[in-house]
Amino acid sequence: MTKAASQIFVLSGPSGSGKSTLLKKLFSEYPDTFGFSVSHTTRQPRQGEENGKDYHFVNKDDMIKEVAEGKFIESATFSGNMYGTSIKAVQDVVARGKICVLDIDMQGVQAVKQTTLNPRYIFVQPPSLETLEKRLRGRGTEAEDAILNRLAASRRELEYAQQPNAYDRIIINDDLNRAYEDLKNAIFVSESA
Ligand SMILES: Nc1ncnc2c1ncn2[C@@H]1O[C@H](COP(=O)(O)OP(=O)(O)OP(=O)(O)O)[C@@H](O)[C@H]1O
């Protein structure tokens, strides 16, 4: 039997380090174990979108107030609409008996550290910047300037990860299956342990 080392995990790492790939494997092997936090937005719901399921649709004044009160882990504005993840949205996942995994960047990690959530922090590290560059180009989803921006940000993320206590666990994503085993070992602990 296994149980989780925590109910909340933060997974971070440079763009292209393999976070989505690893999470996809995890969620498909354990379809009922993990839950997703529902974000807030001030944009209008699109057809078919359900309040509380796709997003918490809220008005701008309320969201600005709650952000100021420190109720959000992070928030950002895109095309005039605010988006963000509230602390309560993460706690709700846990209250439903699910493990919440937050896939966030370094700024997000630092923001979570200011909250009372107390997750375990996992960093997905590429074997080298050269390999990261190859994977980012191979993915074919970014234009050249976006790739260069991501590589510059990656250097900062790698530096931050080397600081003591930045992360609880660093997973080097060289061989994917090996990295996936490391991820499972970071999340699940043997009950007899
Ligand atoms: N161990 C691996 N070996 C080879 N290729 C890999 C490995 N892990 C991931 N990749 C490939 O690297 C690319 C980037 O991976 P992925 O999209 O999962 O990164 P990400 O960390 O989620 O990036 P972003 O933060 O930009 O969403 C993908 O094309 C993926 O298939």
Side-chain angles (χ1 to χ4, degrees):
M1 277 296 284
T2 52
K3 64 181 175 81
S6 171
Q7 290 303 109
I8 308 170
F9 291 89
V10 162
L11 194 70
S12 193
S15 174
S17 61
K19 301 175 298 289
S20 319
T21 307
L22 287 165
L23 286 179
K24 212 171 136 212
K25 277 171 88 68
L26 186 72
F27 298 152
S28 83
E29 186 174 349
Y30 302 93
D32 302 322
T33 306
F34 298 90
F36 300 94
S37 56
V38 178
S39 298
H40 284 58
T41 184
T42 61
R43 80 153 164 75
Q44 290 302 307
R46 299 196 183 112
Q47 199 173 8
E49 283 184 333
E50 217 180 292
N51 188 31
K53 189 163 175 262
D54 297 291
Y55 279 101
H56 295 292
F57 294 101
V58 288
N59 78 49
K60 205 164 192 167
D61 289 343
D62 289 347
M63 185 144 172
I64 289 171
K65 185 169 165 275
E66 294 200 347
V67 168
E69 287 169 353
K71 292 186 176 165
F72 279 76
I73 297 169
E74 52 180 356
S75 65
T77 302
F78 299 107
S79 326
N81 295 310
M82 293 175 74
Y83 295 82
T85 305
S86 71
I87 294 169
K88 184 168 182 298
V90 174
Q91 289 167 335
D92 286 347
V93 174
V94 176
R96 292 202 310 271
K98 305 283 185 189
I99 299 173
C100 187
V101 182
L102 294 166
D103 175 351
I104 50 181
D105 67 8
M106 185 175 87
Q107 254 111 47
V109 169
Q110 288 165 343
V112 173
K113 288 189 175 185
Q114 305 303 312
T115 72
T116 54
L117 285 173
N118 199 24
R120 282 178 72 84
Y121 296 91
I122 302 171
F123 185 71
V124 180
Q125 181 168 318
S128 66
L129 278 171
E130 290 70 30
T131 309
L132 182 68
E133 185 168 355
K134 275 200 202 107
R135 287 183 189 165
L136 268 177
R137 289 187 195 286
R139 190 169 69 177
T141 49
E142 272 83 30
E144 181 62 24
D145 57 342
I147 289 178
L148 296 177
N149 277 337
R150 277 159 201 250
L151 288 172
S154 300
R155 285 197 184 87
R156 294 191 290 273
E157 301 235 1
L158 290 166
E159 270 168 31
Y160 174 66
Q162 305 319 310
Q163 293 180 27
N165 306 324
Y167 292 92
D168 296 302
R169 193 74 76 96
I170 294 182
I171 293 173
I172 299 180
N173 183 16
D174 191 349
D175 174 73
L176 182 61
N177 289 326
R178 172 79 246 168
Y180 181 56
E181 289 305 312
D182 287 348
L183 176 66
K184 287 197 284 183
N185 285 330
I187 292 177
F188 300 113
V189 290
S190 162
E191 286 223 305
S192 56

